[in-house]
Amino acid sequence: DTAVSQTPKYLVTQMGNDKSIKCEQNLGHDTMYWYKQDSKKFLKIMFSYNNKELIINETVPNRFSPKSPDKAHLNLHINSLELGDSAVYFCASSQDLRLGANVLTFGAGSRLTVL
Amino acid sequence: AQSVTQLGSHVSVSEGALVLLRCNYSSSVPPYLFWYVQYPNQGLQLLLKYTTGATLVKGINGFEAEFKKSETSFHLTKPSAHMSDAAEYFCAVSSGAGNNRKLIWGLGTSLAVNP
């Protein structure tokens, strides 16, 4: 059973389209995250939710909208896709982001290519 | 502000040789430190972490890291590299408190292992 699963694994789409990535965790964790990893492997946190409440909202264009229907799910919707949105998007979860020794469990990633 | 510096974006070793990946951090408080590994086309997974106590921390796959407060370092080592160790390695420090807590990531070090 995959701990953090995200779908789809690959997305290829045209500029201007809207797309969603879904994430689910079965670890019973309270916190979920979205990270963006660019082609140079740089990791940037985008959002984090704790028990469905938005906690971290980094400087991300408002074309990106996360939604957490319950604490086991965190989806990412992207409007009006741009070339610069091409990246690998990782979902992660952890017991509680307020813990100092908080360990993240990552999904396998969703590779988005915008043409 | 806390920061993490990984010296060397690319490290290449021969199979069987010592692996040394460097990480320096800045922190105004006792840090929580982490090493994560990302194998090709996968998500990140925890290698090891330092919270408190023993400064030499052992992780998975024969890796270990030593917390040196005086040098503000948390270098990752493995006595004998294996081909399967080829991956991207990320050092991270836990920053902030409460709902402001988040991980500060290094830029990553790509480890190549040559036969």
Side-chain angles (χ1 to χ4, degrees):
Chain A
D1 237 6
T2 306
V4 179
S5 58
Q6 47 183 117
T7 55
K9 192 167 173 64
Y10 299 97
L11 273 161
V12 180
T13 189
Q14 300 287 331
M15 268 194 332
N17 284 351
D18 303 339
K19 288 293 177 187
S20 292
I21 308 172
K22 295 187 174 184
C23 180
E24 175 182 4
Q25 55 97 1
N26 63 6
L27 298 166
H29 286 165
D30 283 347
T31 306
M32 295 186 74
Y33 310 79
W34 278 110
Y35 276 87
K36 179 181 180 181
Q37 186 176 48
D38 64 20
S39 58
K40 295 184 178 177
K41 303 287 186 180
F42 178 62
L43 270 172
K44 176 182 162 60
I45 184 152
M46 302 173 70
F47 304 102
S48 76
Y49 273 73
N50 196 59
N51 263 319
K52 303 194 300 176
E53 180 188 353
L54 179 64
I55 300 296
I56 293 174
N57 184 354
E58 293 292 297
T59 334
V60 174
N62 57 14
R63 298 181 295 103
F64 290 79
S65 50
K67 278 197 172 54
S68 183
D70 55 60
K71 76 172 194 177
H73 296 84
L74 179 61
N75 303 323
L76 182 66
H77 187 75
I78 316 170
N79 288 325
S80 303
L81 280 156
E82 299 177 357
L83 293 176
D85 298 332
S86 295
V88 181
Y89 292 84
F90 285 102
C91 177
S93 73
S94 70
Q95 188 179 349
D96 188 333
L97 91 165
R98 294 165 294 185
L99 298 174
N102 194 36
V103 173
L104 273 61
T105 301
F106 283 81
S110 296
R111 181 176 294 276
L112 172 64
T113 303
V114 182
L115 303 175
Chain B
Q2 290 176 317
S3 64
V4 173
T5 303
Q6 290 185 239
L7 293 171
S9 57
H10 297 277
V11 170
S12 183
V13 300
S14 298
E15 194 173 16
L18 171 72
V19 175
L20 170 60
L21 303 182
R22 299 177 188 273
C23 174
N24 287 88
Y25 68 91
S26 69
S27 173
S28 57
V29 297
Y32 295 98
L33 296 158
F34 307 81
W35 276 100
Y36 282 78
V37 60
Q38 183 180 22
Y39 297 106
N41 299 312
Q42 294 186 28
L44 284 75
Q45 64 183 90
L46 181 73
L47 261 184
L48 48 79
K49 64 179 180 182
Y50 169 79
T51 55
T52 58
T55 55
L56 183 62
V57 180
K58 294 189 186 300
I60 61 171
N61 301 338
F63 283 92
E64 59 184 35
E66 187 170 10
F67 168 59
K68 290 188 176 180
K69 186 178 177 181
S70 61
E71 298 177 9
T72 60
S73 69
F74 191 54
H75 300 333
L76 182 70
T77 60
K78 181 173 179 178
S80 176
H82 193 270
M83 297 295 287
S84 60
D85 294 326
E88 192 82 19
Y89 291 80
F90 293 92
C91 182
V93 63
S94 179
S95 166
N99 283 345
N100 292 319
R101 186 178 289 282
K102 58 184 171 183
L103 279 178
I104 307 298
W105 296 88
L107 296 181
T109 297
S110 178
L111 175 66
V113 182
N114 306 310

